[in-house]
Amino acid sequence: MGEITSTHWQLDDRELVACISASERKLRRDYAEHLAFLAEADARGTAYCLGYSNTTALLMHTLNITRQEGNQRLAHAAALNDAKTPTGTVVAASIPLTAKKLDAGEVSIGQVEVIRRFVASLTHLQPDKVSLAEELLIERAAQDDPNALARFGERVVRDIVDPDGKPPNVDQPHRPERELRRHTYSDGHLEFKGRLDAETAVLFNELLKPFEKYEADDPRGYAERGGDAFADVLQQAANCPDLPTHNGLKTEIAVTISLDALKTMAADRVLPETQLTAAEARRICCDAHVLPAVMGGESKPLDIAAPSYTIPAHIRRALVLRDRGCTFPTCERPASVSHGHHIVEWQHGGPTAVDNLVLLCGRHHRLVHRSDWKVELKDDVAWFTPPDFVDPERRRRRNLLHRR
């Protein structure tokens, strides 16, 4: 492959073009199969089982593709394949005719993207109108490239299936300039919605801006970057010496459990009266306040020691000077939002010492704890060994962005 064989150069021009067309049809059929695998992996939660926050992040590491390409492939997989919800309900593909044409090698990847986007803009129409739009686009796809197909959709198909456009939104109730609505779910995660006046909005955006900087190989989308940036701002606010107190104390979260139980408990075991698993609690303990307590026979506290940091301030300063930021390969997150991670975990006897600690941002800290990524220090440099599904040879990698 890559060299012109004796067979290739003997082909005349028409035969050569026929071979190119045949290979293109094969690529399209292979892409349809690829999307079916992706749809199954995404529905099954394969990425989460392997320690990744989402399927795009897994694809970036295993296929060495960009976040944009990973997101597009997942969008195609969702649109062209039926999906089964956790309750067992089957959600039909949104563009089933396109799926059949791609499986036969009769539409290109660019045409699939045009049809997917156009159909997604018609969700306010009845299903028969949406199906008609896909039929018209599929018929035209036999002679139009993606750009021409998109123009045909907007100028012709939309006039046929959606001549009036989306109905106007007449519901415009008066709302205060600032509001924040929060809802905490049973598993502990929080959803919120709100609005800010113009002055506060500028302050809010300026606070987030340094933390949501886009990185070339970042698997997160715009919303995910914003969420992580918001968490970073909250973390820095929590460390502010001027943080207001409640009943004379700064905000703390206490989990009462014996040290031996926390060390030996199964990773997926949920701690009593919490939504935290043992693995999550051990990760948090990598860089958190530890409050020693002596309990009586009826679990009554007899003595409470003064809080101490698992990672003392002088050791954290040494980590910042050495690592300069998150040590995970290609990550640009600064030290100010990075956690201290024990290479040999503390529950396995790992010491809280500079030569057993590295800085990791929240996202990569979770990844290292959940997955088969391994880290070791050599000559004060953190080296990471990827899982075999990322690199079968498991070649070590390091972060070259925080140069000393």
Side-chain angles (χ1 to χ4, degrees):
M1 209 59 186
E3 296 182 1
I4 299 179
T5 67
S6 58
T7 303
H8 291 161
W9 71 263
Q10 289 177 340
L11 298 173
D12 63 32
D13 291 341
R14 283 183 169 77
E15 290 171 333
L16 187 58
V17 171
C19 289
I20 293 172
S21 298
S23 64
E24 172 66 17
R25 286 192 293 273
K26 183 178 183 302
L27 283 173
R28 296 172 181 180
R29 292 194 296 270
D30 288 343
Y31 185 64
E33 183 182 41
H34 177 73
L35 296 182
F37 290 137
L38 286 186
E40 175 63 23
D42 200 47
R44 190 185 296 185
T46 298
Y48 184 80
C49 293
L50 295 176
Y52 287 80
S53 59
N54 55 59
T55 306
T56 300
L58 175 65
L59 296 181
M60 288 178 63
H61 272 160
T62 54
L63 306 183
N64 290 327
I65 60 177
T66 64
R67 176 179 61 84
Q68 292 87 342
E69 187 174 358
N71 285 337
Q72 179 173 288
R73 291 188 189 185
L74 285 176
H76 290 178
L80 272 65
N81 293 273
D82 295 344
K84 182 178 290 186
T85 67
T87 60
T89 304
V90 176
V91 179
S94 60
I95 45 175
L97 294 179
T98 308
K100 293 179 180 179
K101 290 292 184 178
L102 182 64
D103 196 48
E106 297 177 7
V107 291
S108 70
I109 297 174
Q111 290 172 324
V112 170
E113 177 66 4
V114 169
I115 297 172
R116 182 192 72 82
R117 285 180 176 273
F118 189 85
V119 169
S121 70
L122 303 177
T123 53
H124 58 287
L125 297 181
Q126 294 296 322
D128 59 332
K129 292 280 190 178
V130 177
S131 297
L132 174 60
E134 187 189 8
E135 289 179 20
L136 295 172
L137 289 169
I138 284 294
E139 291 177 4
R140 189 72 180 187
Q143 52 186 310
D144 279 358
D145 63 68
N147 289 334
L149 185 63
R151 291 193 296 270
F152 174 77
E154 291 297 332
R155 298 176 183 178
V156 179
V157 178
R158 193 173 293 279
D159 286 343
I160 296 174
V161 301
D162 189 26
D164 297 326
K166 291 183 179 180
N169 181 16
V170 296
D171 183 20
Q172 297 179 346
H174 176 73
R175 295 180 179 179
E177 289 189 329
R178 295 179 187 175
E179 64 177 13
L180 179 64
R181 301 178 182 181
R182 293 168 288 178
H183 178 73
T184 303
Y185 289 84
S186 58
D187 62 357
H189 83 270
L190 173 73
E191 287 190 4
F192 56 88
K193 181 180 180 181
R195 55 187 278 129
L196 298 172
D197 60 274
E199 180 181 349
T200 310
V202 171
L203 174 62
F204 182 75
N205 288 325
E206 289 301 315
L207 286 173
L208 294 183
K209 191 177 297 181
F211 299 108
E212 60 180 352
K213 179 181 177 183
Y214 172 70
E215 302 166 8
D217 61 345
D218 197 334
R220 301 170 300 166
Y222 175 78
E224 289 176 297
R225 291 202 310 276
D228 286 344
F230 189 40
D232 291 337
V233 170
L234 291 177
Q235 181 175 330
Q236 286 209 335
N239 293 328
C240 176
D242 297 327
L243 182 71
T245 62
H246 178 67
N247 294 334
L249 296 172
K250 290 186 177 181
T251 301
E252 293 180 342
I253 298 175
V255 178
T256 304
I257 186 172
S258 74
L259 184 61
D260 289 339
L262 183 57
K263 287 181 177 180
T264 59
M265 188 177 291
D268 59 352
R269 173 85 178 273
V270 178
L271 271 60
E273 300 181 10
T274 76
Q275 287 85 35
L276 291 175
T277 65
E280 290 169 335
R282 290 194 284 263
R283 173 181 58 80
I284 292 170
C285 285
C286 270
D287 190 10
H289 285 85
V290 172
L291 185 64
V294 178
M295 310 297 286
E298 298 179 355
S299 296
K300 295 181 179 180
L302 302 180
D303 181 51
I304 301 295
S308 63
Y309 278 98
T310 301
I311 300 178
H314 68 282
I315 291 183
R316 179 168 177 84
R317 284 194 291 269
L319 290 177
V320 172
L321 289 172
R322 185 193 70 193
D323 296 341
R324 302 294 183 96
C326 176
T327 56
F328 195 87
T330 74
C331 185
E332 294 182 339
R333 305 295 283 170
S336 61
V337 296
S338 296
H339 310 158
H341 168 71
H342 287 71
I343 297 174
V344 178
E345 297 184 22
W346 63 271
Q347 72 265 26
H348 296 151
T352 302
V354 174
D355 59 2
N356 189 48
L357 293 165
V358 294
L359 290 181
L360 290 173
C361 69
R363 178 163 61 95
H364 290 125
H365 196 183
R366 291 187 292 272
L367 177 63
V368 169
H369 271 273
R370 293 174 178 172
S371 69
D372 292 332
W373 280 88
K374 305 298 180 186
V375 58
E376 59 181 331
L377 271 177
K378 184 176 181 181
D379 298 329
D380 283 342
V381 175
W383 290 89
F384 291 78
T385 303
D388 55 5
F389 58 82
V390 173
D391 180 2
E393 298 182 18
R394 304 202 71 185
R395 290 166 290 195
R396 296 191 310 166
R397 310 175 182 186
R398 60 167 295 192
N399 192 324
L400 299 174
L401 301 179
H402 304 291
R403 296 184 180 274
R404 286 178 289 177

